[in-house]
Amino acid sequence: MTIRHQLELETISAVTLAAFVGIFLAMYNNNHRPKSSIFSSIPVMQEEQVSAVSPLPAVPVLPKPQIISQISSDGTKQVIMRTTYNKDNTQTYTFSTADGSGANEQAIISKILDSTKTMNIPFNTWSPDNKYFFVQEQIKEGSTSGIMAFKALGEPFNSGEKYFDVTDLFIKRNTGNNFSEATGWASETLIIINTTAPNNTKGPSYWFEVPSKAIIQLSTEF
Amino acid sequence: MVQILYILVEMAKKIIAIYFISVFVGIVFFVGASFLLKSQPDCANSRTCKSDLLVNVDNNAIGMFQGQKVIPPKIDLALDTLKPEYAVLGASADTGEKHIYINLDTQTLYAYQGKTQVMKTLISSGKWGRTPVGNFNVWSKLRSTRMAGGSGADAYDLPNVPYVMYFYHDFGLHGAYWHNNFGHTMSHGCVNMRIVDAKELYGWIDGPVSGQKGTPVSVCNKFISPNTCVQENPIN
């Protein structure tokens, strides 16, 4: 091998090596930027003041009726729940719907529950098109004991029912999994149901299709 | 002797030339590879990512999400200009920097102005695509745009997505009319909000103006307080 050939070989080797080094450095630079695990450039917020607890009244009185409401995503509809506390230790829950402004209120249903249960309006109560809504009944310890789905104005479904008891329908379907919660609406007609498996692990999720009452098991967990 | 010296000088020249060529080639490959690696942004909307992220209103289109047809809300931009009706978050006396925090753990959005919390609401972050964790700034505000992407059963095509506030490439905060499952992951990487919440935030948040960056957005794995936004493997 002549000196010229040797130099040519060394040139090719050096240039190839330089190219690899360049790519390696670029990849290293791209993947190893400095990262912080705690973002701490924002000023500290003042601690919230804890308000003093009011003393109990000397004579026991029934709590005042409560009104809560939940507005739809577009702000045009709302569900209103009025809770009245009765002397026999039960509560009356009265549901109505109205426009976002509160106008055109329409009574939907009233239900009396004993003190072991409560009712509430979930954050995701309205279907995305505001045609349906659902409310839930809970045992006071926290587990959901019932989901009731209504049409927006409380009119009956085609089957003549005023509402669908989603939990009851799910139990009757006998899927092998236990109803856990209804999280919200996957689309205009589909309520998302989460379950627990018989061994108490997380079970599959389901869709409950409101008009048809169909229950569809999903491959995706919500 | 002179002959040997001449050969040595020639060899030295060639070695120096090889050295400079190698350094030059190394730099060229470094710059080229860096450019190629950086020019592949994460993309929430694989179709719109290939085109401009511009205002788009199509009141006659039908949307599609999770294999279901969706009717988009009608949007009249002229009416918006005449009567924006944006609710004003916070009191007029609020001062200090505006900052948005997203808590991926609890699927909650917090808006702060200085030390005052002006909004707290449930959101839906990435389920079929990861929402990027890190610290960003709103780089574009659009009253409405079309978002499309995914494939197969996860394909989506959503016209008239309202109140879009992009903070990283095509990842943004925006209203969602096709589902109502906030508080649970439900997006392809964006941060979905109720339309009423997105509208309020859109009216409050600042886009980039005169060389100043838009409102900061911090996406946290866990958010405890404005000085404690826990971020695991942030992208910036």
Side-chain angles (χ1 to χ4, degrees):
Chain A
M1 187 181 280
T2 64
I3 290 174
R4 189 182 164 194
H5 283 129
Q6 195 176 342
L7 281 171
E8 279 176 1
L9 195 64
E10 283 173 358
T11 305
I12 291 163
S13 304
V15 167
T16 308
L17 183 67
F20 277 112
V21 169
I23 292 168
F24 173 78
L25 285 173
M27 290 174 74
Y28 184 86
N29 189 45
N30 192 60
N31 293 327
H32 292 79
R33 290 179 194 148
K35 293 172 183 178
S36 62
S37 59
I38 303 284
F39 176 57
S40 58
S41 62
I42 309 303
V44 179
M45 189 187 165
Q46 282 181 336
E47 287 183 16
E48 286 181 18
Q49 289 183 337
V50 179
S51 59
V53 177
S54 305
L56 288 171
V59 181
V61 291
L62 290 172
K64 288 181 181 175
Q66 290 182 340
I67 301 175
I68 60 164
S69 63
Q70 193 59 261
I71 203 151
S72 62
S73 175
D74 64 359
T76 60
K77 298 287 287 181
Q78 60 176 311
V79 181
I80 302 159
M81 182 180 84
R82 291 181 172 82
T83 309
T84 311
Y85 297 88
N86 308 316
K87 286 179 181 174
D88 61 357
N89 212 23
T90 61
Q91 288 102 51
T92 304
Y93 297 91
T94 306
F95 292 92
S96 57
T97 58
D99 295 344
S101 63
N104 300 318
E105 187 166 344
Q106 172 77 39
I108 304 293
I109 198 168
S110 209
K111 196 166 183 181
I112 299 173
L113 295 179
D114 64 47
S115 59
T116 61
K117 292 179 177 176
T118 61
M119 295 203 77
N120 66 57
I121 313 171
F123 187 80
N124 299 315
T125 185
W126 284 101
S127 63
D129 60 358
N130 298 338
K131 286 186 179 168
Y132 307 103
F133 70 94
F134 72 88
V135 296
Q136 62 187 15
E137 184 182 301
Q138 286 183 305
I139 296 167
K140 274 197 171 166
E141 281 71 34
S143 63
T144 303
S145 60
I147 294 289
M148 293 186 290
F150 297 86
K151 282 192 169 183
L153 297 175
E155 65 270 41
F157 289 97
N158 288 341
S159 56
E161 294 161 281
K162 174 92 172 169
Y163 64 87
F164 291 153
D165 187 332
V166 178
T167 321
D168 192 44
L169 290 166
F170 186 84
I171 292 166
K172 283 178 182 164
R173 169 74 184 273
N174 201 16
T175 60
N177 296 295
N178 299 316
F179 182 96
S180 170
E181 61 172 351
T183 65
W185 297 81
S187 75
E188 292 167 353
T189 58
L190 300 170
I191 296 176
I192 299 166
I193 292 172
N194 282 337
T195 63
T196 48
N199 61 1
N200 273 337
T201 58
K202 187 167 169 45
S205 295
Y206 293 82
W207 279 344
F208 177 84
E209 219 257 337
V210 172
S212 68
K213 297 195 274 188
I215 293 170
I216 306 151
Q217 185 173 337
L218 305 175
S219 56
T220 308
E221 284 184 9
F222 283 88
Chain B
M1 188 65 182
V2 173
Q3 186 82 10
I4 291 167
L5 262 174
Y6 176 76
I7 290 168
L8 284 174
V9 168
E10 284 301 308
M11 276 180 68
K13 277 183 186 173
K14 283 180 182 174
I15 287 166
I16 290 166
I18 291 167
Y19 172 77
F20 279 108
I21 289 168
S22 301
V23 169
F24 176 74
V25 168
I27 290 168
V28 167
F29 272 81
F30 173 74
V31 172
S34 298
F35 175 77
L36 286 173
L37 287 167
K38 280 183 183 173
S39 64
Q40 295 171 347
D42 295 321
C43 196
N45 308 294
S46 50
R47 285 182 210 159
T48 50
C49 202
K50 292 170 188 166
S51 59
D52 293 333
L53 301 168
L54 297 175
V55 174
N56 182 300
V57 176
D58 188 347
N59 288 328
N60 297 315
I62 303 292
M64 195 260 295
F65 182 75
Q66 288 279 289
Q68 308 283 316
K69 282 185 180 176
V70 193
I71 308 293
K74 301 272 188 279
I75 292 174
D76 185 340
L77 293 177
L79 200 66
D80 262 27
T81 311
L82 290 170
K83 195 180 174 187
E85 288 183 339
Y86 297 132
V88 179
L89 287 178
S92 57
D94 284 343
T95 55
E97 190 197 11
K98 295 176 181 178
H99 204 124
I100 305 288
Y101 296 92
I102 309 295
N103 187 339
L104 296 177
D105 186 43
T106 60
Q107 294 288 294
T108 307
L109 175 146
Y110 300 85
Y112 278 85
Q113 183 148 22
K115 294 173 182 174
T116 309
Q117 187 186 96
V118 295
M119 179 186 260
K120 178 185 174 185
T121 190
L122 295 175
I123 53 97
S124 291
S125 69
K127 178 172 188 63
W128 295 281
R130 184 175 169 265
T131 301
V133 172
N135 301 306
F136 315 98
N137 292 83
V138 172
W139 68 267
S140 177
K141 286 173 67 178
L142 300 177
R143 171 64 182 84
S144 167
T145 195
R146 189 179 194 121
M147 294 186 174
S151 59
D154 291 336
Y156 63 98
D157 187 356
L158 299 161
N160 291 9
V161 177
Y163 306 112
V164 183
M165 297 155 271
Y166 287 116
F167 57 84
Y168 176 70
H169 297 298
D170 67 337
F171 292 90
L173 308 151
H174 60 74
Y177 59 80
W178 50 92
H179 76 83
N180 193 3
N181 195 35
F182 303 101
H184 304 270
T185 55
M186 201 72 189
S187 81
H188 290 75
C190 282
V191 177
N192 293 181
M193 303 176 70
R194 291 197 307 191
I195 297 167
V196 282
D197 297 331
K199 185 179 179 179
E200 275 194 282
L201 199 68
Y202 186 85
W204 176 82
I205 214 165
D206 297 317
V209 182
S210 335
Q212 287 199 320
K213 288 181 175 179
T215 300
V217 177
S218 293
V219 180
C220 324
N221 296 98
K222 284 187 181 178
F223 171 77
I224 295 151
S225 67
N227 67 332
T228 318
C229 166
V230 181
Q231 297 176 327
E232 293 157 13
N233 299 316
I235 63 165
N236 61 5

